[in-house]
Amino acid sequence: MIVQRVVLNSRPGKNGNPVAENFRMEEVYLTDNINEGQVQVRTLYLSVDPYMLFKMSLLEEAE
């Protein structure tokens, strides 16, 4: 099965407002077989808490 996914391509700018250039679309192949202990889910809605911007800043400083 081929699925599309949205990937964070770059961190949003200093003002924190994301723009289209911060993301990219990818098509990936997922196998149809599910092994024991695995699950397959479909994301309908996704929300990113503003707190994550703070966490991303900490990770950036650590590098």
Side-chain angles (χ1 to χ4, degrees):
M1 163 183 11
I2 295 178
V3 298
Q4 288 187 331
R5 64 183 179 187
V6 178
V7 179
L8 181 64
N9 195 45
S10 62
R11 186 167 179 249
K14 293 185 184 274
N15 63 3
N17 294 327
V19 294
E21 291 77 28
N22 297 131
F23 303 92
R24 70 176 186 274
M25 293 290 294
E26 292 182 350
E27 285 189 353
V28 294
Y29 178 79
L30 297 180
T31 60
D32 290 328
N33 59 342
I34 302 294
N35 297 323
E36 184 176 338
Q38 294 181 326
V39 297
Q40 183 175 3
V41 298
R42 182 179 199 185
T43 304
L44 299 178
Y45 300 98
L46 182 65
S47 174
V48 179
D49 191 297
Y51 172 74
M52 293 307 296
L53 185 61
F54 171 72
K55 293 292 281 186
M56 289 171 62
S57 296
L58 290 179
L59 290 173
E60 190 175 78
E61 290 174 8
E63 294 177 351

